Each structure stands twice: as structure tokens, then as C-alpha cells.
Amino acid sequence: MSNWGVGRQLTFFLVFLFILIAASAAAGWYFWPRPSCEDGRQNQDERGPDCGGSCVTVCSDETQPVRVKWARVLTLVQPPAAQSAGVYDVAALVENPNPNLTLLNWSYNLRIVDENNLFITRLTGTLNLAPRESFLIFETNINVGRRVPDRAFLDLIDTPIWRRSITEDKLDLSITDRQFTPTPPLLKARLANNSLVPYRDLKITAVLSDSEQNAFAASATAVAELAPGEIKEISFSWPRSFVNEPIVIDFYPHVATDNGNR
């Protein structure tokens, strides 16, 4: 075969090889999975695999842990007959210090012990916390039989799940005109929605504390819906009079979150 024929075949081969490589590259580019927040890799602007940056999932080094402000047994809530039968209320105040992160499905144990630190019972649950939200975990009518509870502890069960929140704003609510009547104990107040959006499934918990800000009683009420600009009266009651009237009254409103958004 002449050199011309060999050169022609080589040219055809090189052209074919170029077309094959180009087609393979195009197919690979077309079918290769695009970077995402669910590909198990650290790409895009992520701080870690599928977390941080533009991903909704938050990396662990971006979060501040939930703060447990206090947890205690409320011994002055139930009437004497009920307490002698071993029925008590327990509360714990927790806070999400993160300004733009929502906590989802946080599992906890509320552990109750006696004065000798011996275990009595455990209450479990899950909660969501909006950015910078303080929330009162409140369990009522807990029957402990003949045991006498003395202290409560809040324990974290598993790793919290954090999501970025669309807004850094808290609930735009105000609670005013509070009035406390000692006998029988009754607390009334006015709840106002100062935002431009309605709130649904609101839960408001009131905590009564002494002069040293030690909580001794709590009660909760629910509001099904509160329209923008709407004001409703809310009330909280207890079954018997307290030894002393409350010096400090705190309210903790809460609304259910959905996928990290209000």
C-alpha cells in the first residue's frame, strides 16, 4: 500500500477517534449527576458533604447547642389530695440560641428522681424550636405512686437535626394586660398578633415564679388561630391557692414549625 493510502487511513482513524472521544465526553457530561445537596459529596459551596453553604442541612460546626435553662418538679400545682396520691407537674425551659436555624424533631428524656437521686420515672418526647425561641416543656398530672419526686433533669437522646430558617424573626406576638387573681388562682392576659400573617395552633405557657425567679407553677392554653392584628383574651388557672403570690410571670408562646419554616 502506498504512503498516500496509509496516510488516508490514519486520518480516517484519527477523525473517528476524535468523534468517539467527543461523543463519550458529551454523554458523560449529560448523564453525570449534577452537584446537589443529596449526592453524598462535598461540592458546590458546601462546608461538608451535603451540608452548609446553599444546602438546607446544617453542618455541626455551624450550630450552637440547645440550652437547658432549668428543669424542676412543680409541687405547688396540685391539690393536697392529689399530691398525696403521687400526682405532680414537671417543667423544663429550653432555648435555641441560633439566630437563623430551626431545630427539628429533637428527642429528649425528662428524668425525675427523688431526694436521694434515685430514679422514679422518665418522660420522653420530641420538639421543634424556632430560631432564638425559648420553649417550656410542660408535663402535667404525672402519677408517681408513693414516691416523692424532688428534682428533674432534661437529657438529650440523639443528635439534633438543624435546618436553615427563611426568616430570623421571632413570633411577632405581644402579651399585655396581665391580671392575676389569687383565690382561686387565675391569670388573664391579652394576646395580640402584630404580624402580617396568621398564626395557627398556638400554645402559650405561663410560668409563675417567686422573688428569686424560682418557678413554682405553670399552666398552658391553646389558641387555634390568631389573624393578623387580632387580639384575644387568654387565661390560665390552677386548682388551689398558692402559699405566696407570684412575683414574676413569664409567657412562652409556641407555634408548630413545618420543614424549618413557620
Side-chain angles (χ1 to χ4, degrees):
M1 181 179 295
S2 66
N3 291 337
W4 180 85
V6 172
R8 186 177 180 183
Q9 287 183 352
L10 181 60
T11 300
F12 285 155
F13 174 75
L14 292 176
V15 171
F16 174 76
L17 182 62
F18 174 78
I19 293 174
L20 181 62
I21 293 174
S24 298
W29 178 86
Y30 182 81
F31 291 105
W32 187 263
R34 299 291 184 270
S36 71
C37 294
E38 298 178 352
D39 58 10
R41 301 183 179 91
Q42 182 178 349
N43 43 36
Q44 306 179 96
D45 59 347
E46 300 168 4
R47 292 171 59 99
D50 297 340
C51 70
S54 58
C55 293
V56 174
T57 301
V58 181
C59 297
S60 58
D61 61 354
E62 296 180 89
T63 67
Q64 299 181 59
V66 173
R67 297 170 183 167
V68 180
K69 309 290 282 188
W70 53 261
R72 59 175 49 97
V73 178
L74 306 175
T75 58
L76 301 181
V77 179
Q78 301 294 338
Q83 285 197 2
S84 64
V87 180
Y88 295 82
D89 288 356
V90 180
L93 181 63
V94 295
E95 178 186 56
N96 173 10
N98 297 282
N100 60 351
L101 301 179
T102 296
L103 176 67
L104 296 178
N105 299 323
W106 184 52
S107 298
Y108 63 84
N109 279 332
L110 191 55
R111 183 166 42 94
I112 303 172
V113 301
D114 63 17
E115 62 180 359
N116 297 315
N117 210 33
L118 297 177
F119 174 79
I120 295 179
T121 189
R122 176 185 292 111
L123 307 170
T124 62
T126 59
L127 59 84
N128 298 337
L129 288 176
R132 289 179 174 164
E133 179 182 11
S134 294
F135 176 75
L136 190 79
I137 300 172
F138 179 52
E139 299 286 348
T140 186
N141 294 328
I142 303 168
N143 194 323
V144 295
R146 295 181 179 274
R147 306 289 296 278
V148 179
D150 183 67
R151 295 185 301 278
F153 300 91
L154 191 67
D155 305 315
L156 177 65
I157 295 178
D158 53 16
T159 303
I161 299 174
W162 297 94
R163 292 291 184 269
R164 300 189 193 282
S165 180
I166 292 177
T167 176
E168 296 186 8
D169 296 334
K170 289 186 176 181
L171 288 173
D172 196 359
L173 297 168
S174 60
I175 300 176
T176 58
D177 300 336
R178 61 188 68 183
Q179 298 178 358
F180 179 77
T181 304
T183 307
L186 178 65
L187 173 63
K188 292 184 177 181
R190 292 165 65 85
L191 174 69
N193 181 357
N194 303 316
S195 75
L196 299 177
V197 297
Y199 293 127
R200 297 180 178 86
D201 298 325
L202 274 165
K203 179 182 178 182
I204 302 95
T205 309
V207 177
L208 309 184
S209 303
D210 59 22
S211 58
E212 297 181 355
Q213 295 193 348
N214 295 315
F216 61 82
S219 182
T221 190
V223 176
E225 183 171 0
L226 195 66
E230 185 178 8
I231 300 175
K232 286 186 176 181
E233 184 180 272
I234 53 176
S235 61
F236 308 84
S237 61
W238 290 267
R240 68 180 177 99
S241 298
F242 306 125
V243 175
N244 297 305
E245 292 187 22
I247 303 301
V248 180
I249 299 176
D250 294 306
F251 296 97
Y252 298 98
H254 177 78
V255 65
T257 55
D258 182 15
N259 295 327
N261 304 322
R262 290 194 188 283

